[in-house]
Amino acid sequence: MGSRVLIAQLTRNLVANAVAYNLPDGTGWVRVTVDGGVLTVANTGPVVPEADIPGLFEPFRRGEGRDRMGPGAGLGLSIVRSITAAHGGTVSAVGREGGGLVVTVRLPVGDQAPERP
């Protein structure tokens, strides 16, 4: 249950970030578990220090050393967080060993889902 438009925007933002912040010739993954309401997007980008991860969800913030004049405004993950919260879910991110980021969105399914935003 939820807004198809908002969930599509959430997914686009995660995939766009995984591509934009990946290494040349890097790899990315998208995993969807429909029954469990889980979307995971990961990449092989640069190492993201654990201390920097919470700030990535703040508006207009990008990771240390990221080109602040490049495409985008640094809103992608803050929008993901807002859409996830509006659907009664949670979002988390962890750095991958060797570099990159894994972002996991968990949304309630079935009777646990709130009314559509």
Side-chain angles (χ1 to χ4, degrees):
M1 300 281 290
S3 167
R4 290 183 196 164
V5 171
L6 291 176
I7 297 300
Q9 183 65 54
L10 176 150
T11 304
R12 274 192 300 276
N13 286 5
L14 289 176
V15 172
N17 277 359
V19 171
Y21 295 113
N22 207 344
L23 298 175
D25 298 321
T27 302
W29 302 267
V30 176
R31 178 182 295 161
V32 178
T33 307
V34 177
D35 292 340
V38 178
L39 168 65
T40 303
V41 179
N43 73 356
T44 55
V47 173
V48 180
E50 189 175 334
D52 288 356
I53 292 174
L56 296 177
F57 289 94
E58 296 301 320
F60 309 110
R61 295 278 305 271
R62 297 181 184 175
E64 188 65 33
R66 303 256 168 93
D67 180 3
R68 298 197 189 302
M69 300 306 290
L75 292 172
L77 288 179
S78 67
I79 292 170
V80 166
R81 180 179 61 184
S82 294
I83 293 171
T84 301
H87 285 81
T90 62
V91 60
S92 62
V94 295
R96 290 185 67 250
E97 187 173 327
L101 198 64
V102 179
V103 179
T104 302
V105 174
R106 288 182 172 79
L107 298 172
V109 295
D111 294 339
Q112 303 169 357
E115 293 298 316
R116 292 178 82 159

